[in-house]
Amino acid sequence: MIAVAIDGPAGAGKSTIAKKASEQLGFIYVDTGAIYRAVALACIDRNISIDDLDSVEGLISGLDIRIIFFNGEQHILLNDTDVSERIREENVSMAASRVSAIPQVRSFLLDLQRDFAKRDNVIMDGRDIGTVVLPNAQVKIFLTASPEVRARRRLLQLEEKGVKADFDKILFDIVQRDFNDTNRKTAPLKPAENSITVDTTDMTLDEAVGKIVGIIKEQTI
Ligand code: DC
């Protein structure tokens, strides 16, 4: 099996790029952020404060989170309900960043993520894939871009969906999430040893996909 780990900060284009690269290579693409988002959504829906560790721990022990693939698209099931759309809401993003700092949440989700790499060739994206989840991945990429460019891309995405958004607020949230994800004690966001850093600030989507596919082919032949 071939495993490709793509880590990097929020909005660097990991999911769009990894999805296209996996289509070209015939790999399964797993977006691990979605499962942290599912835990955050469960906290929001049940009015559980993320600061209340006992309640969060009690909650996760009863959660059934599953990733399924339907027509090539990843769907996330939370206790049998498809929450793929709801986990993308803005309030879930920040809650996911906070909930992902809890070590019990991270260890609860570890096997779920590792199981994918046992069954298929995967491109898995997240924050700690190359460092913790798949430390033996054959290819490790750290994908990044400037905060301003990441915020601009997010704004465009939201505008395309007809959602009104404010650039400064998006930029503020991105910087805040970078801080949370980089400074947490457990599995912080950082480039894995022997990872290749790809900065997409000045790249188009196609250029970034071409670069990633090129690296994967080079490293796995
Ligand atoms: O990739 P994303 O923005 O959908 O991820 C949401 C949050 O989940 C992110 O702020 C940090 C956390 N996360 C993580 O800690 N580890 C991962 N492997 C993936 C996501």
Side-chain angles (χ1 to χ4, degrees):
M1 291 301 159
I2 297 173
V4 178
I6 302 188
D7 292 302
K14 297 187 300 291
S15 52
T16 316
I17 294 167
K19 199 165 166 232
K20 285 189 176 287
S22 60
E23 279 164 14
Q24 288 188 21
L25 294 162
F27 285 22
I28 296 275
Y29 161 58
V30 183
D31 159 17
T32 63
I35 55 183
Y36 289 92
R37 287 170 178 269
V39 174
L41 182 65
C43 290
I44 293 169
D45 281 353
R46 289 163 209 210
N47 263 323
I48 290 174
S49 159
I50 292 167
D51 298 321
D52 178 356
L53 290 186
D54 286 343
S55 298
V56 174
E57 236 182 298
L59 168 80
I60 54 177
S61 62
L63 282 188
D64 176 23
I65 297 178
R66 267 178 294 147
I67 293 180
I68 56 161
F69 295 91
F70 186 66
N71 287 342
E73 290 285 330
Q74 173 178 306
H75 285 254
I76 185 116
L77 302 184
L78 179 59
N79 295 342
D80 290 331
T81 304
D82 189 335
V83 292
S84 314
E85 295 278 329
R86 288 192 63 213
I87 56 167
R88 299 294 155 200
E89 289 168 13
E90 287 300 304
N91 63 330
V92 180
S93 303
M94 196 60 78
S97 179
R98 292 182 56 221
V99 91
S100 71
I102 302 172
Q104 291 86 337
V105 170
R106 304 201 71 82
S107 56
F108 171 71
L109 298 175
L110 207 49
D111 285 342
L112 179 67
Q113 298 170 81
R114 285 183 175 153
D115 281 349
F116 283 102
K118 289 183 189 150
R119 294 196 296 260
D120 289 287
N121 292 335
V122 287
I123 299 184
M124 200 175 283
D125 88 32
R127 302 294 187 287
D128 63 337
I129 309 304
T131 51
V132 177
V133 179
L134 303 175
N136 297 323
Q138 288 89 334
V139 187
K140 296 182 184 181
I141 293 168
F142 192 79
L143 198 70
T144 188
S146 75
E148 289 74 18
V149 163
R150 289 187 275 134
R152 178 75 49 210
R153 289 176 185 160
R154 179 75 191 133
L155 182 70
L156 284 175
Q157 257 177 6
L158 289 170
E159 284 176 353
E160 274 165 19
K161 283 195 212 159
V163 179
K164 240 181 126 229
D166 174 57
F167 176 79
D168 290 336
K169 164 89 174 78
I170 294 176
L171 180 60
F172 180 86
D173 282 357
I174 277 188
V175 171
Q176 181 73 48
R177 277 220 280 155
D178 285 356
F179 183 85
N180 289 349
D181 299 346
T182 311
N183 290 285
R184 66 178 177 228
K185 287 205 181 72
T186 313
L189 168 67
K190 64 173 179 196
E193 245 177 71
N194 58 38
S195 65
I196 299 172
T197 295
V198 176
D199 186 330
T200 68
T201 302
D202 296 316
M203 287 184 196
T204 64
L205 176 60
D206 285 346
E207 285 168 346
V209 174
K211 176 89 189 160
I212 299 302
V213 170
I215 292 173
I216 296 171
K217 284 186 174 161
E218 232 171 71
Q219 307 252 318
T220 54
I221 285 169

